[in-house]
C-alpha cells in the first residue's frame, strides 16, 4: 500500500491504495469519476485517456502511484459550471458520437491535440493521425473528425 | 495484475540500490510495455523502480555533432525537439510514429532500447546510427548491445542512462506498420555516417531481432541510390514468419522498405 496524493480536476485528493492499482481504477473506484472509461484494458482503445500534467495519457496503462504528485484532468473537469467545454459542445453539435463509450477519450485526446498543435494547424490528416490511439466502433470517425475541426476553431 | 511494490528513485544510484533490494525487482520507465504485460500476468515483478523522476536521465543535449538523449526522455520529447531535428531529423520522425500520442507521452527511449522488442523502432536507430548505450556501469557500443529478441547486453542490475551518437551525414527511417497493431512489420534505418560509412539497420522483419544488412551497406557506400540495393539478397531463413506475413513476404519487404529509406535520405 502507498499513500497517493494528486490534484484531480483542481481538487487535491489523497488515498491509501495498493501499488498495483491502475490510475483508471483510482479515478473510477476511489473517486467515483466514472466518465473515464475502460474499453479494451490492453492499451489500444483510448477510452481511458486523461490528462496528466497537461499531457494525454492512457490511464489504464499507468499505476495510480506513478501519477502521485501530478495534476490530473478527466472528462469531468473540462466543463465550467453548466457550460460544456467547446470541444464537448462541438461533439454534440456535429453528432460526433453514437453510443458514446469512446467519447471521453476522444475528447481528452482532441483537447490535448489542439493544445499541442494549435487550432490553426489542424488539418484533417493531422487529426486522423492523432486519433491513432482512439478506437470508435460506431461512427466510422467522419463526424469525430468534423467535431474536432469545429471544436478546435471554437477553442481558438 | 499481481501485487507489486512501487519505488520512486531520484538518482541512478538509488534506482540500482532499490532494484538490488527487491526479490525480483524491475525498472519501469514509461511502462507502456511493462504495465500491459503485468496486467496480462505475463510479468509479475515483486518491485517496480520508477526511473521517470531521475533528472540526470532526462532531456536532449547537442554539442556540435554529438547528440545525447537521456534514457527517460519520452518519444514525444524526441519527436518535437527542433534542435534534434536540425542534426538528425530521422530519429525525430521515428519517435513521432511510435504507438499513438498518449503512448508517446509516456514511453521512453531507454525503455524501448532495454526491452529490445523485435518490432520496436528505436533499436533500428541505435544500430543504424552506430550509437553508444550509456549505462549505470559502462558504455556499450550498439554493435555489442542487441543480443536477439528481447535480449540485450544489460545485466540485471544495470540501467540505461542515455543514448549517444554522432549526427549522421544523412539518414532516414521508413517503416511498414502492421495495419492493426501498427508495430513495424519491417522498419529500416538507413544512414551515411560522418566518417563515410553506411549503416542499414532493420527491425520488425528478422527472426532474431534488429540486424544490419552488410551487403546493402557495401552497395550504398559505393552508390547511395535505391537502384544500388535492388538486387541485394535477403535470406528468407532469417525472417520472421507469422500470420501477418510469411518469411518470403518479409524478405521482399526488407528490400522494398530499404529502397524507400535510401530514397527518403537522399
Amino acid at each position: 500500500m502507498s499513500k497517493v496524493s494528486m490534484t484531480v480536476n483542481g481538487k487535491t485528493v489523497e488515498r491509501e491504495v495498493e501499488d498495483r492499482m491502475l490510475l483508471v481504477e483510482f479515478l473510477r473506484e476511489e473517486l467515483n469519476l466514472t466518465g473515464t472509461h475502460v474499453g479494451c484494458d490492453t492499451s489500444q482503445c483510448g477510452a481511458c485517456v486523461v490528462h496528466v500534467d497537461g499531457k494525454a495519457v492512457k490511464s489504464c496503462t499507468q499505476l495510480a502511484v506513478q501519477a502521485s504528485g501530478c495534476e490530473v484532468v478527466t472528462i469531468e473537469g473540462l466543463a465550467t459550471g453548466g457550460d460544456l467545454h467547446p470541444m464537448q459542445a462541438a461533439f454534440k453539435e456535429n453528432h460526433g458520437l453514437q453510443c458514446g463509450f469512446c467519447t471521453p477519450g476522444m475528447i481528452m485526446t482532441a483537447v490535448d491535440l489542439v493544445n499541442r498543435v494549435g487550432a490553426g494547424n489542424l488539418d484533417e490528416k493531422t487529426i486522423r493521425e492523432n486519433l491513432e490511439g482512439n478506437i470508435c466502433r460506431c461512427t466510422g470517425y467522419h463526424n469525430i473528425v468534423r467535431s474536432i475541426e469545429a471544436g478546435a476553431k471554437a477553442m481558438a | 495484475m499481481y501485487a507489486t511494490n512501487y519505488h520512486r528513485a531520484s538518482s541512478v544510484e538509488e534506482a540500482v540500490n532499490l532494484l538490488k533490494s527487491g526479490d525480483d525487482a524491475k525498472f519501469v520507465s514509461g511502462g507502456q510495455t511493462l504495465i500491459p504485460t503485468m496486467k496480462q500476468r505475463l510479468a509479475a515483478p515483486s518491485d517496480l523502480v520508477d526511473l521517470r523522476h531521475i533528472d540526470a536521465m532526462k532531456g536532449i543535449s547537442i554539442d556540435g555533432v554529438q547528440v545525447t538523449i537521456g534514457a527517460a526522455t519520452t518519444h514525444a520529447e524526441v519527436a518535437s525537439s527542433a534542435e534534434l531535428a536540425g542534426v538528425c531529423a530521422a530519429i525525430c520522425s521515428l519517435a513521432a510514429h511510435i504507438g499513438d500520442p498518449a503512448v508517446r507521452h509516456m514511453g521512453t527511449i531507454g525503455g524501448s532500447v532495454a526491452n529490445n522488442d523485435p518490432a520496436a523502432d528505436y533499436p533500428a536507430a541505435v544500430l543504424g546510427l552506430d550509437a553508444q548505450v550509456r549505462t549505470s556501469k559502462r558504455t556499450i557500443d550498439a554493435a555489442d548491445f542487441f543480443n536477439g529478441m528481447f535480449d540485450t547486453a544489460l545485466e540485471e542490475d544495470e540501467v540505461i542512462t542515455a543514448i549517444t551518437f554522432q549526427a549522421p551525414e544523412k539518414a532516414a527511417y521508413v517503416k511498414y506498420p502492421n495495419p492493426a497493431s501498427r508495430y513495424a512489420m519491417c522498419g529500416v534505418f538507413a544512414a551515411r555516417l560522418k566518417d563515410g560509412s553506411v549503416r542499414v539497420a532493420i527491425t520488425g522483419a528478422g527472426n532474431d531481432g534488429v540486424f544490419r544488412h552488410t551487403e546493402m551497406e557495401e552497395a550504398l557506400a559505393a552508390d547511395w541510390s535505391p537502384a544500388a540495393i535492388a538486387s541485394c539478397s535477403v535470406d528468407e531463413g532469417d525472417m520472421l514468419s507469422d500470420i501477418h506475413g510469411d518469411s518470403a513476404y518479409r524478405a521482399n519487404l526488407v528490400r522494398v522498405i530499404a529502397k524507400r529509406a535510401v530514397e527518403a535520405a537522399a
Side-chain angles (χ1 to χ4, degrees):
Chain A
M1 301 286 277
S2 291
K3 193 169 81 178
V4 168
S5 105
M6 62 181 86
T7 309
V8 179
N9 299 333
K11 285 185 210 146
T12 305
V13 295
E14 205 171 277
R15 294 284 191 283
E16 184 88 12
V17 298
E18 277 198 287
D19 289 5
R20 64 175 157 179
M21 176 175 268
L22 297 168
L23 177 58
V24 71
E25 295 167 341
F26 184 81
L27 296 170
R28 289 177 58 86
E29 292 163 26
E30 293 290 327
L31 307 180
N32 292 323
L33 293 171
T34 53
T36 301
H37 290 169
V38 178
C40 66
D41 218 8
T42 51
S43 314
Q44 284 147 332
C45 81
C48 68
V49 169
V50 300
H51 296 178
V52 173
D53 287 343
K55 295 187 172 99
V57 299
K58 293 183 174 178
S59 61
C60 83
T61 312
Q62 176 166 172
L63 301 174
V65 275
Q66 282 178 284
S68 191
C70 294
E71 270 189 46
V72 177
V73 177
T74 71
I75 190 74
E76 290 92 341
L78 285 189
T80 42
D83 297 327
L84 291 178
H85 183 279
M87 191 61 76
Q88 290 175 304
F91 270 70
K92 188 180 170 195
E93 288 293 313
N94 292 278
H95 196 60
L97 57 138
Q98 287 181 29
C99 88
F101 196 84
C102 71
T103 313
M106 287 287 177
I107 291 177
M108 297 313 284
T109 297
V111 171
D112 171 75
L113 171 62
V114 177
N115 289 342
R116 266 188 297 121
V117 178
N121 300 320
L122 271 189
D123 53 22
E124 183 183 334
K125 182 168 178 281
T126 306
I127 293 171
R128 287 186 182 273
E129 278 174 359
N130 277 274
L131 291 179
E132 181 90 51
N134 291 79
I135 294 174
C136 172
R137 299 288 77 163
C138 302
T139 64
Y141 301 96
H142 288 302
N143 287 351
I144 292 174
V145 173
R146 277 187 204 123
S147 302
I148 296 174
E149 280 170 343
K153 280 191 192 118
M155 281 172 70
Chain B
M1 188 187 297
Y2 290 109
T4 190
N5 297 299
Y6 172 87
H7 312 272
R8 191 176 282 190
S10 55
S11 71
V12 174
E13 193 187 7
E14 190 190 358
V16 171
N17 287 336
L18 283 166
L19 189 97
K20 284 180 180 166
S21 64
D23 286 341
D24 180 24
K26 289 268 181 262
F27 294 118
V28 60
S29 190
Q32 300 300 285
T33 299
L34 183 55
I35 301 289
T37 309
M38 288 172 68
K39 286 170 70 177
Q40 293 187 60
R41 296 187 170 180
L42 295 172
S46 63
D47 297 78
L48 287 177
V49 180
D50 192 345
L51 304 170
R52 286 195 311 139
H53 301 268
I54 302 173
D55 287 340
M57 283 174 57
K58 289 194 221 176
I60 299 163
S61 66
I62 298 167
D63 183 9
V65 293
Q66 193 65 37
V67 178
T68 304
I69 304 176
T73 307
T74 64
H75 309 326
E77 287 162 347
V78 171
S80 63
S81 168
E83 202 188 356
L84 184 55
V87 296
C88 184
I91 199 165
C92 301
S93 158
L94 177 152
H97 293 95
I98 299 172
D100 58 56
V103 167
R104 293 194 286 271
H105 280 146
M106 289 294 291
T108 66
I109 186 169
S112 171
V113 172
N115 193 43
N116 193 19
D117 187 302
D121 299 300
Y122 266 129
V126 170
L127 202 56
L129 289 164
D130 203 17
Q132 283 82 44
V133 180
R134 208 180 285 164
T135 78
S136 50
K137 295 187 176 185
R138 55 192 164 143
T139 298
I140 309 170
D141 287 333
D144 303 321
F145 184 80
F146 299 105
N147 286 343
M149 278 197 193
F150 297 108
D151 195 11
T152 69
L154 288 173
E155 291 166 19
E156 279 300 309
D157 61 345
E158 186 172 21
V159 59
I160 299 177
T161 56
I163 305 295
T164 67
F165 59 90
Q166 284 213 332
E169 196 183 295
K170 56 183 172 184
Y173 178 70
V174 174
K175 79 166 154 182
Y176 186 85
N178 178 298
S181 74
R182 302 297 199 201
Y183 269 100
M185 287 185 64
C186 175
V188 178
F189 198 100
R192 189 199 288 278
L193 306 181
K194 287 274 193 247
D195 65 6
S197 65
V198 170
R199 293 283 184 282
V200 176
I202 298 154
T203 189
N207 62 10
D208 201 26
V210 67
F211 66 98
R212 281 173 56 189
H213 198 294
T214 47
E215 189 191 336
M216 287 189 191
E217 291 177 355
E218 283 161 18
L220 290 170
D223 172 19
W224 185 276
S225 74
I229 55 172
S231 60
C232 282
S233 63
V234 180
D235 190 344
E236 285 179 29
D238 295 338
M239 295 295 110
L240 280 171
S241 196
D242 55 29
I243 58 164
H244 307 300
D246 64 17
S247 51
Y249 176 80
R250 275 196 165 83
N252 186 57
L253 203 53
V254 167
R255 242 186 327 265
V256 171
I257 301 300
K259 283 195 283 186
R260 288 184 195 171
V262 169
E263 179 113 54

